[in-house]
Amino acid sequence: MSPVGVVHLVDSLDIGGTERMAVNFVNSLPRERYVPYLCTTRRDGPLEESVGADVVRLRLERKHRFDLVAVCRLVEFNRQHGVRLLHAHSSSLFVAVAAALFPPHPAVVWHDHFGRFAVEQRSALLFRQLVKNASGVIAVSEPLAEWARNKLYVTAERVWYIPNFVVLEAPDGQ
């Protein structure tokens, strides 16, 4: 079986938890099973230097929320590379869902990193519409997983709690 093309989408590569996790995930994918791609929907940033040398990059340079040109660029990239999975981190879910409407119709997994969950409310209605056709939701905390099940009505078998993790880099020469 050939490796599965997976695009990790994140708005930027600024220094932050969501961005760091996107880089950690794309760098950690087993290469014998997956072909890793990393797509920034808006801009790059300091974490660009941490992306593995073998990870193919796409920069959409989205200028506004509903940037159809950026979505079309992702759709074309998916076609050219046979992408089968879009792993959308945080608000990049919007771009991923739009791109998945077109061939090759990659599956979408949403990685919810909403760290302000305990102090700030989000509209469940919008997210409910976006995730209803997603293959699954990854939550970085149990409260976020519960929110996906109870407010977004995602079935329990399609919600996974995976806490953030740290990748320790070996010192040079080791």
Side-chain angles (χ1 to χ4, degrees):
M1 192 163 91
S2 62
V4 174
V6 178
V7 174
H8 281 263
L9 290 102
V10 66
D11 284 339
S12 76
L13 288 177
D14 292 336
I15 295 179
T18 298
E19 298 80 3
R20 170 54 67 191
M21 286 310 302
V23 170
N24 287 349
F25 264 91
V26 77
N27 286 342
S28 298
L29 286 174
R31 300 312 195 246
E32 65 278 359
R33 295 184 60 198
Y34 303 99
V35 179
Y37 304 104
L38 181 64
C39 173
T40 51
T41 66
R42 291 196 181 272
R43 66 186 172 278
D44 286 339
L47 290 177
E48 180 178 11
E49 296 173 7
S50 300
V51 178
D54 65 333
V55 176
V56 175
R57 297 285 319 284
L58 173 64
R59 297 162 189 88
L60 297 181
E61 299 175 349
R62 185 167 56 107
K63 304 294 186 225
H64 46 84
R65 183 173 292 163
F66 302 107
D67 190 334
L68 294 178
V69 172
V71 172
C72 289
R73 289 184 62 217
L74 179 57
V75 167
E76 184 57 30
F77 183 89
N78 293 340
R79 282 188 189 132
Q80 287 178 355
H81 294 86
V83 170
R84 293 180 23 208
L85 178 64
L86 297 175
H87 185 140
H89 294 265
S90 294
S91 60
S92 65
L93 173 65
F94 301 95
V95 174
V97 167
L101 294 173
F102 301 93
H105 303 289
V108 174
V109 171
W110 180 41
H111 202 141
D112 189 3
H113 296 266
F114 191 60
R116 298 180 309 264
F117 181 77
V119 295
E120 198 174 305
Q121 293 295 315
R122 292 188 286 185
S123 169
L125 181 62
L126 177 60
F127 288 98
R128 189 178 306 135
Q129 292 302 311
L130 291 169
V131 300
K132 71 179 178 182
N133 294 318
S135 295
V137 175
I138 298 170
V140 299
S141 69
E142 283 291 355
L144 285 174
E146 182 91 5
W147 184 76
R149 288 187 292 268
N150 296 333
K151 300 293 185 184
L152 303 184
Y153 309 129
V154 180
T155 59
E157 62 272 1
R158 290 180 33 230
V159 177
W160 306 282
Y161 163 55
I162 301 176
N164 288 340
F165 60 91
V166 176
V167 175
L168 300 175
E169 297 180 26
D172 290 338
Q174 292 187 13

